[in-house]
Amino acid sequence: MTRRRVGPVLAVLVAGALGCSTATPPTPSASAIPVPDDPASTSVGPTARLAPGEPSSASLPPAVERGPRDRPAVSAAPELAGAYRFVSAPDFLNQDVADLTADGRRTYVVKATGDVANSTNESYETALDQVIDEMASHGTRDVLVPGDLVEGRWGRDDSRTGVFGPVRTQAQRLRAWRRAADVYYPAWFDRFREHDLTTYPAVGDHEMGDDPWRLKKRHAWVDFKRRHIPQFKQIFADHALSGSDGRPRFTERPEQGPSRHTAYSVRLDSNVLLVTLDVFERRGGDVHISVDEPQLRWLRGVLRKARKDDVPWVMVQAHTPMPGKVRVRNSTHLVYEKGRASDLWRTMVDGGVDVYLSGEVHDQTVRRRDGILEVSHGSLFYRGEASYIVGQVTADRLVLENHQFRGVVGFDNRLWTTSRQGAPGRISYPDPSVVTGTLVASRTRSGGLRVDDADGVLAPRD
């Protein structure tokens, strides 16, 4: 296990945390759930959408909520000899976690509470080590992350601490955004590097400041986000998709268009091609969940080449699922515009895509439509619900296994964030994850995909 060092100020913060009570129900009570702080209404709610046959929350005892961590364990998936392995963990972390007191940084105090502004503590660092250690234990070095690495509500300072500078003007907001990115992105990537893991991230809505990007009434911060989408994408690419020399990590990218820095494809293994899409397009005075035309043309070329090269498995990852019934937990549930009627979906079907990996909904559902397995997955670390999928791939078989943690969170105090919401001040993952879903698929003689066996949350909804 690798333990990250944190600044000396954390000793005071942890001492304070140890005196607070800890919330230990299956999930925090509704009153303990962070309230969304964007000025638009959302569909956030504490209860997952249930599979057919599952009892609704109204039929359960009041203390019971059916979230990802409450689902029963199932038998582990079979092991494929000689398989390529990967981990997929969207929405990890969907939170800003970094030591703001490290490296001689000036400390800031939240006037309302008298606490030092910081975005981590010893409990977070220990819990993150435990979760990422387990990811690394599956014989893989590759971690796919279909969006929402950070909270990303930057360019604001609700507690007026001045941590990242003033945010009164648009120019000040952008400088503050860059300063926050220079702290939170490196902290995120360092954690995986310390575990010898290579990440393959996609851009999510939180890398774009979180939705919404337009309101009926003028709102300075929302307007700032919409106007600076190109800058946010470049900042993300600089941190997430560039090497230490500043050059792009991936050579196969769109040559033009707004996604030329954020979309890419890479051969993970002789049997697996991964295509990463940017589904956040600024047009018509708003941000749409769609791919731009240059990116779509590029995708068609990538898929044609994959078919010509006879690549056994083609996986596409993007942040948002297609419309349709999926389990949703604490999410605004963004979906791809027009869904199966979209040019993107038709391109993926015609191009022979096998698997579409998405996040956003903080829960797990598999759907099988038009020959594509749609896997929406991931959960929220800061709610004690961290999860990830382990994939195994050979030339003719695909195995997926969902791992679900059951953590403990303390909501009596909060970590500092740029927005007023704040994450719970204490978290732990005392036990290893449990398997809550499996799926085994194989190639048919005609080249199609057949699901041979599935259980739990990965059993497909056709």
Side-chain angles (χ1 to χ4, degrees):
M1 178 182 294
T2 303
R3 181 66 57 83
R4 293 173 57 83
R5 299 187 64 174
V6 294
V9 175
L10 290 185
V12 177
L13 297 177
V14 174
L18 293 176
C20 72
S21 62
T22 300
T24 56
T27 56
S29 65
S31 62
I33 295 169
V35 178
D37 63 352
D38 280 323
S41 62
T42 73
S43 60
V44 172
T47 303
R49 298 186 180 185
L50 302 172
E54 289 184 347
S56 70
S57 59
S59 66
L60 296 170
V64 177
E65 293 181 11
R66 298 297 299 272
R69 52 169 292 148
D70 304 311
R71 301 199 179 101
V74 302
S75 298
E79 295 284 329
L80 297 185
Y84 164 74
R85 292 170 174 265
F86 66 91
V87 164
S88 184
D91 302 282
F92 189 90
L93 293 164
N94 205 329
Q95 180 188 358
D96 297 335
V97 182
D99 186 1
L100 304 183
T101 71
D103 302 324
R105 295 190 187 106
R106 174 184 169 187
T107 59
Y108 295 81
V109 174
V110 181
K111 295 179 181 178
T113 64
D115 295 330
V116 171
N118 210 348
S119 300
T120 191
N121 58 38
E122 290 288 356
S123 74
Y124 269 80
E125 298 303 327
T126 298
L128 283 166
D129 258 342
Q130 291 169 329
V131 171
I132 300 175
D133 261 348
E134 187 180 295
M135 289 182 186
S137 72
H138 295 285
T140 181
R141 300 272 66 87
D142 295 344
V143 180
L144 283 51
V145 189
D148 281 6
L149 288 64
V150 294
E151 182 180 22
R153 295 188 180 110
W154 305 332
R156 60 192 283 179
D157 184 5
D158 291 9
S159 57
R160 300 181 180 181
T161 59
V163 169
F164 298 118
V167 291
R168 293 183 296 274
T169 68
Q170 296 273 307
Q172 289 173 342
R173 289 181 187 276
L174 184 57
R175 283 195 294 272
W177 183 287
R178 293 185 185 278
R179 290 167 180 156
D182 287 344
V183 172
Y184 292 120
Y185 279 137
W188 192 95
F189 286 100
D190 283 349
R191 290 186 172 93
F192 285 91
R193 291 190 189 102
E194 290 168 358
H195 290 80
D196 196 25
L197 294 171
T198 301
T199 54
Y200 297 86
V203 67
D205 58 295
H206 280 261
E207 282 73 54
M208 301 295 100
D210 195 11
D211 68 300
W213 296 278
R214 189 175 187 88
L215 297 173
K216 291 181 179 179
K217 293 184 178 181
R218 186 179 182 278
H219 188 280
W221 182 64
V222 173
D223 293 344
F224 159 74
K225 292 189 298 178
R226 183 180 65 255
R227 292 170 182 167
H228 291 86
I229 292 297
Q231 289 90 335
F232 299 165
K233 291 188 178 187
Q234 184 63 65
I235 293 168
F236 171 79
D238 290 344
H239 285 282
L241 304 176
S242 301
S244 57
D245 59 358
R247 297 173 64 85
R249 288 174 55 195
F250 308 105
T251 57
E252 182 55 61
R253 298 173 292 124
E255 293 183 357
Q256 52 187 290
S259 63
R260 65 190 182 278
H261 300 299
T262 47
Y264 59 93
S265 69
V266 59
R267 195 76 171 261
L268 296 175
D269 177 78
S270 60
N271 292 319
V272 182
L273 174 71
L274 173 69
V275 184
T276 299
L277 299 180
D278 175 350
V279 294
F280 298 92
E281 182 185 14
R282 190 181 67 170
R283 57 180 166 82
D286 202 352
V287 176
H288 294 261
I289 311 303
S290 59
V291 298
D292 56 276
E293 187 57 37
Q295 184 180 189
L296 191 62
R297 290 196 301 268
W298 167 78
L299 174 62
R300 292 185 181 118
V302 169
L303 297 180
R304 281 195 300 269
K305 186 175 187 303
R307 179 162 286 178
K308 180 181 177 181
D309 294 344
D310 199 22
V311 178
W313 297 92
V314 177
M315 301 192 304
V316 171
Q317 68 168 352
H319 184 57
T320 61
M322 295 291 162
K325 188 176 182 180
V326 298
R327 298 180 181 93
V328 182
R329 186 166 177 82
N330 300 97
S331 171
T332 52
H333 194 184
L334 299 172
V335 295
Y336 193 85
E337 291 185 2
K338 299 182 179 179
R340 295 169 70 191
S342 67
D343 290 339
L344 172 61
W345 184 259
R346 181 46 51 193
T347 295
M348 292 198 297
V349 172
D350 294 345
V353 170
D354 300 297
V355 181
Y356 179 72
L357 299 168
S358 65
E360 168 64 20
V361 292
H362 312 147
D363 210 331
Q364 301 90 40
T365 306
V366 173
R367 294 178 294 180
R368 182 175 50 183
R369 301 191 293 182
D370 300 331
I372 298 176
L373 279 179
E374 300 175 68
V375 184
S376 55
H377 59 304
S379 300
L380 294 175
F381 173 88
Y382 69 84
R383 294 185 62 86
E385 298 176 349
S387 69
Y388 61 91
I389 279 179
V390 176
Q392 304 175 65
V393 188
T394 63
D396 57 0
R397 297 189 76 191
L398 168 72
V399 172
L400 302 177
E401 184 178 73
N402 190 74
H403 286 253
Q404 181 67 55
F405 286 94
R406 296 167 177 170
V408 179
V409 296
F411 273 81
D412 288 3
N413 62 349
R414 303 293 180 105
L415 295 186
W416 181 86
T417 62
T418 55
S419 61
R420 69 175 180 266
Q421 173 167 310
R426 185 161 47 141
I427 190 164
S428 67
Y429 282 90
D431 300 314
S433 68
V434 296
V435 175
T436 59
T438 59
L439 182 146
V440 179
S442 61
R443 282 276 171 237
T444 64
R445 289 185 177 181
S446 62
L449 182 152
R450 177 181 60 234
V451 175
D452 301 311
D453 189 28
D455 197 4
V457 296
L458 297 188
R461 296 178 172 181
D462 292 323

